[in-house]
Amino acid sequence: MYLEPIHLPANNSSDAYEFVIYRGDLECSSAPGNKQHKLKYHLQQALQEHKSIAATFGGPHSNHVAAFVARCVELQITPIVVVRGETWASLTPTLRRAVQQGAILFPSSRLDYRLGMQSKIKDAIDQYYAGEVYWVPEGGAGALGVLGCLDWANHIYQKLNDSSYHVCLASGTGATAAGFAASDFNSVSVFSALKGAHNLEQDLYSHCLAANIEVTAKLECFDESLHGGFGKMSDALIHFLHDMLAHNPTLRLDPVYTAKMVYKVNQLLAQGSWPHRKTVFIHTGGLQGWRGMPVGHCPYNENDWL
Ligand SMILES: *Cc1c(COP(=O)(O)O)cnc(C)c1O
């Protein structure tokens, strides 16, 4: 279940390489992808502490916010979201949906937002709700987030039932990748959605240290260097997604993370420099991210991915 072949445009010698994708985007309709796994132990902890409210931080198009609000509502916890940026002319589609589901939003200046768990806005919310609030760090990271991803990685490893697969995974904070790096998988390529992610490998080690687990996989890290940085799309990327859709009519990639990962692997393959015979891509979800993209960038029909 959830494992299927993926056809890369550059792969014409079809027997030399095997590519499959684990469809994390299909696992859970309310909170698809990696975010529900990052949230798993956080929200368990909130319930154990009998908190009626959970709060987190997020950007206005954030996949984390979308998943956080959906999971909280399912667990009958009231979600609070501290949103980056002080003024909103109008709510983004992601935030509008959050409010419709019952989330309470608090604006925050970029300066204070950056302080996260030490921010003034967090203090103010804690005071106002008098100890009722369980806090989840931005992106659902932290040791509990990493441990949820470790479980996810080992679950996928068992489903594959073949230790020779090389893993490809997209990353932002690197918390998800840290879970995979410490899992039963032997080798992992991590594709950062951020430009200049020179410390990515270091970050993975820090995440693992914090979660008291060890990096056991061989790692290779790639920087976002082709499409203009986080959340940006190049014409080449948009063109590639049309090509991918023609080769894989039932597969939708997200614009921020998974599209760039598959693009890069396809490019390396075309150059003859992809060394792994068997590869599994992890689909980390994020399709709601298309809501924040300019109309015309999305190669998919809206009905197909929302
Ligand atoms: C958040 C996200 C990631 C990155 O997860 P990190 O744990 O922050 O590295 C990757 N893919 C998608 C689709 C995401 O939404």
Side-chain angles (χ1 to χ4, degrees), residues 82-298:
V82 174
V83 183
R84 185 180 60 226
E86 46 278 304
T87 50
W88 306 321
S90 64
L91 292 181
T92 61
T94 304
L95 294 179
R96 216 177 308 137
R97 198 175 165 80
V99 170
Q100 278 164 5
Q101 291 176 282
I104 304 166
L105 307 185
F106 284 87
S108 153
S109 74
R110 283 168 187 272
L111 212 65
D112 192 49
Y113 183 92
R114 235 176 279 146
L115 301 175
M117 300 299 252
Q118 276 76 48
S119 61
K120 289 205 186 78
I121 185 75
K122 176 182 180 290
D123 277 353
I125 290 170
D126 278 337
Q127 263 176 32
Y128 188 78
Y129 292 99
E132 266 307 300
V133 183
Y134 180 87
W135 283 88
V136 176
E138 185 174 18
L144 292 178
V146 173
L147 291 174
C149 294
L150 171 65
D151 289 355
W152 192 37
N154 283 331
H155 171 79
I156 297 170
Y157 180 84
Q158 276 167 20
K159 287 209 161 185
L160 275 165
N161 197 21
D162 179 345
S163 61
S164 60
Y165 274 99
H166 176 77
V167 180
C168 289
L169 184 70
S171 89
T173 64
T176 305
F180 277 78
S183 75
D184 293 333
F185 281 110
N186 293 317
S187 67
V188 181
S189 289
V190 186
F191 299 84
S192 179
L194 308 162
K195 220 171 177 168
H198 309 299
N199 298 320
L200 181 55
E201 190 159 342
Q202 204 53 52
D203 291 347
L204 298 196
Y205 278 88
S206 312
H207 285 307
C208 284
L209 192 66
N212 206 9
I213 54 178
E214 261 179 68
V215 174
T216 47
K218 193 166 166 293
L219 291 177
E220 192 174 17
C221 295
F222 296 91
D223 192 6
E224 204 280 354
S225 51
L226 294 160
H227 309 290
F230 185 78
K232 300 285 196 306
M233 297 188 78
S234 65
D235 290 344
L237 185 63
I238 295 168
H239 182 266
F240 173 71
L241 287 181
H242 281 280
D243 207 8
M244 275 299 292
L245 184 60
H247 285 80
N248 306 270
T250 60
L251 175 65
R252 276 96 186 98
L253 299 171
D254 86 289
V256 180
Y257 296 97
T258 53
K260 292 180 179 180
M261 159 180 73
V262 178
Y263 181 99
K264 182 73 184 179
V265 173
N266 186 66
Q267 190 185 46
L268 291 169
L269 189 68
Q271 292 165 355
S273 41
W274 186 248
H276 310 285
R277 212 176 63 72
K278 284 180 161 187
T279 301
V280 57
F281 289 101
I282 310 300
H283 198 315
T284 41
L287 293 175
Q288 75 87 35
W290 282 112
R291 291 195 173 105
M293 285 290 157
V295 195
H297 280 27
C298 184

Side-chain angles (χ1 to χ4, degrees), residues 60-76:
H61 301 288
S62 152
N63 294 332
H64 166 62
V65 167
F68 173 81
V69 171
R71 292 299 293 138
C72 282
V73 170
E74 282 168 4
L75 297 170
Q76 300 186 335

